[in-house]
Amino acid sequence: MSVARTARTARTARTARSGLLAASAALALLLSGAAATTVASAATTTTTGLDGTWACSVPSGYVYDQVSMNRSCSGGGSWNSPQFHLRTPVDGLTACSSAPGFTYDSVGHSTTCSQTSGGVLSTTFHLRTPVNGLWACSVPAGWTYSATASDLTCAAVQGVPTTRFLLAH
């Protein structure tokens, strides 16, 4: 083997090892949840590595904004099971559930969150970061309220008025 070819082979091996180490480090960061973050909104909330992906369960720290009934999560079975479109909770997101540290200021009804193949209407929540003076459908931990109103804005059951709360901190 020539000296030039030996040097090229050594460089190629070093490059491959460096690439493999970088890929391993990136995978370790992703799996640890410490992956790089990107700004998701004008708020200070950031999104993480699983935001926008589909999964068979909803991990802590995430909500979901869509459900797909398919066989991907049925363990090889012939039945449909729910698969969730994961989202990092941010102010203004409409999601299929609420999230710790957030409240919601309105409720909707859509088949987007339905966990049945027939597309039954399910409740959606317009997530909000709690602030003084926000009319909210729930009072988050550590907050109180200074007034209430009864209307359909927060009605989980269509047509049944419920209470909203004017948040105070």
Side-chain angles (χ1 to χ4, degrees):
M1 190 183 300
S2 73
V3 172
R5 187 171 175 187
T6 302
R8 244 189 339 266
T9 302
R11 273 194 309 269
T12 302
R14 278 193 304 273
T15 302
R17 277 193 305 271
S18 295
L20 185 57
L21 286 172
S24 296
L27 180 59
L29 281 174
L30 179 63
L31 294 175
S32 72
T37 59
T38 58
V39 175
S41 70
T44 58
T45 305
T46 58
T47 60
T48 58
L50 294 176
D51 188 67
T53 63
W54 288 89
C56 298
S57 64
V58 182
S60 178
Y62 289 89
V63 294
Y64 59 101
D65 64 354
Q66 297 175 52
V67 174
S68 175
M69 295 301 293
N70 58 56
R71 293 187 176 109
S72 297
C73 298
S74 67
S78 60
W79 60 89
N80 285 335
S81 59
Q83 188 175 30
F84 305 95
H85 185 250
L86 301 178
R87 296 300 308 272
T88 302
V90 294
D91 188 58
L93 175 70
T94 297
C96 302
S97 63
S98 189
F102 286 83
T103 187
Y104 53 101
D105 64 356
S106 65
V107 169
H109 304 280
S110 168
T111 59
T112 306
C113 298
S114 179
Q115 293 187 36
T116 64
S117 294
V120 174
L121 288 178
S122 297
T123 305
T124 60
F125 304 86
H126 185 249
L127 299 182
R128 296 299 308 272
T129 302
V131 294
N132 282 319
L134 174 70
W135 281 98
C137 300
S138 67
V139 179
W143 287 77
T144 190
Y145 56 96
S146 59
T148 62
S150 182
D151 58 26
L152 298 175
T153 305
C154 301
V157 177
Q158 288 182 306
V160 178
T162 56
T163 303
R164 288 189 303 146
F165 307 90
L166 184 60
L167 296 183
H169 196 244

